[in-house]
Amino acid sequence: EGPAADEELLTLLERRDGAIEPIEVRVARRLKRVLADEQGLVLDRIRRDGDRLELDEVITLDAQVAAYATVVIDDLSAAAEEGAAFEGAALPTSASVDALAEELGRTLAGVVRPRVERCFDGIDEGTDVSDRLRSTYREWKTDRLVETTRHIVLAAFGQGQVAVHPADARLRWVPDPTGSACPDCEDDALAGPVPRGSTFPTGHAHPPAHPGCRCLVVTERVAASA
């Protein structure tokens, strides 16, 4: 513990962030394109059939989730590969980020879809549904999308890390020393080293524990040398 430990941890965090930040930006950029295509699809349907319709008539929830998940799968795989490389190993071919891509798709659809559906609610004479829709999609085709998606990118990185840890590895949860750790992350850090395959008190095997979490998991060997 002390300045030397913090300095080594900061170096590790900088390596991690340098590896995944371009991926976070790339994922957000791809999703912005999907949202732009989705907006065009909805607006085109309104132009053809009028605004008295249900969103399900244009795009189902499953189709929306699939569109989001499909476009990010390669980048999440790249994040997992970076996590493995961070530990000096190659990601096993059996490793899969499909569940994370699905989680991202459902999370984003769970936020965007209700907002789009509300654009069709309470339509009065003179209400421009197209303007409502453009405003709603514009809200999500901004840098806000990076914050929404970076949680899953970091989870993919952590999944890659854990996938290549030796079977007898013991892992420590370490908060980012540049910020204030939340109580959950503090609990995970105070738990000390846990065997690979086990979970920390929050139920997570690796960060992030929650959106905005920028903690890191390290082997007991790294923690001890710091």
Side-chain angles (χ1 to χ4, degrees), residues 206-226:
H206 55 76
H210 54 80
C213 171
R214 299 300 284 182
C215 296
L216 181 69
V217 68
V218 299
T219 62
E220 177 64 0
R221 180 192 61 76
V222 171
S225 66

Side-chain angles (χ1 to χ4, degrees), residues 76-117:
L76 294 185
S77 293
E81 289 168 0
E82 290 290 352
F86 188 82
E87 302 294 339
L91 188 69
T93 56
S94 60
S96 171
V97 294
D98 289 356
L100 288 175
E102 173 83 4
E103 181 182 344
L104 190 154
R106 293 207 172 275
T107 298
L108 185 56
V111 176
V112 173
R113 192 174 185 84
R115 286 165 170 76
V116 174
E117 288 175 330

Side-chain angles (χ1 to χ4, degrees), residues 16 51 66 90 129 160 175 196:
R16 193 256 331 256
D51 53 25
V129 176
R196 178 189 182 276

Side-chain angles (χ1 to χ4, degrees), residues 28-47:
R29 187 183 301 127
R30 294 189 200 282
L31 287 170
K32 286 176 188 178
R33 292 196 193 106
V34 174
L35 287 167
D37 290 344
E38 184 181 303
Q39 174 186 327
L41 181 68
V42 177
L43 291 174
D44 183 63
R45 182 65 179 272
I46 289 174
R47 281 191 291 269

Side-chain angles (χ1 to χ4, degrees), residues 18-226:
I20 65 173
E21 280 172 1
I23 299 174
E24 292 171 346
V25 173
R26 212 159 55 230
V27 166
R29 187 183 301 127
R30 294 189 200 282
L31 287 170
K32 286 176 188 178
R33 292 196 193 106
V34 174
L35 287 167
D37 290 344
E38 184 181 303
Q39 174 186 327
L41 181 68
V42 177
L43 291 174
D44 183 63
R45 182 65 179 272
I46 289 174
R47 281 191 291 269
R48 289 190 293 109
D49 301 336
D51 53 25
R52 300 288 177 173
L53 51 81
E54 298 291 332
L55 185 57
D56 276 343
E57 299 175 49
V58 184
I59 182 170
T60 65
L61 173 60
D62 286 345
Q64 194 175 29
V65 171
Y68 299 158
T70 300
V71 78
V72 302
I73 191 77
D74 288 345
D75 287 316
L76 294 185
S77 293
E81 289 168 0
E82 290 290 352
F86 188 82
E87 302 294 339
L91 188 69
T93 56
S94 60
S96 171
V97 294
D98 289 356
L100 288 175
E102 173 83 4
E103 181 182 344
L104 190 154
R106 293 207 172 275
T107 298
L108 185 56
V111 176
V112 173
R113 192 174 185 84
R115 286 165 170 76
V116 174
E117 288 175 330
R118 281 199 293 272
C119 293
F120 297 96
D121 293 342
I123 298 175
D124 300 317
E125 189 69 31
T127 299
D128 193 329
V129 176
S130 296
D131 282 348
R132 283 187 179 184
L133 286 164
R134 289 189 186 95
S135 177
T136 296
Y137 279 106
R138 189 182 307 119
E139 177 186 359
W140 285 95
K141 290 184 293 179
T142 65
D143 289 341
R144 282 188 62 185
L145 202 57
V146 175
E147 295 301 319
T148 303
T149 58
R150 67 190 318 207
H151 174 80
I152 299 295
V153 175
L154 186 56
F157 179 92
Q159 184 172 300
Q161 269 189 288
V162 172
V164 298
H165 283 141
D168 61 351
R170 295 179 64 79
L171 311 177
R172 280 188 179 274
W173 186 290
V174 287
D176 182 345
T178 64
S180 55
C182 73
D184 283 347
C185 293
E186 286 180 347
D187 286 346
D188 286 345
L190 290 171
V194 303
R196 178 189 182 276
S198 300
T199 58
F200 290 90
T202 58
H204 297 84
H206 55 76
H210 54 80
C213 171
R214 299 300 284 182
C215 296
L216 181 69
V217 68
V218 299
T219 62
E220 177 64 0
R221 180 192 61 76
V222 171
S225 66

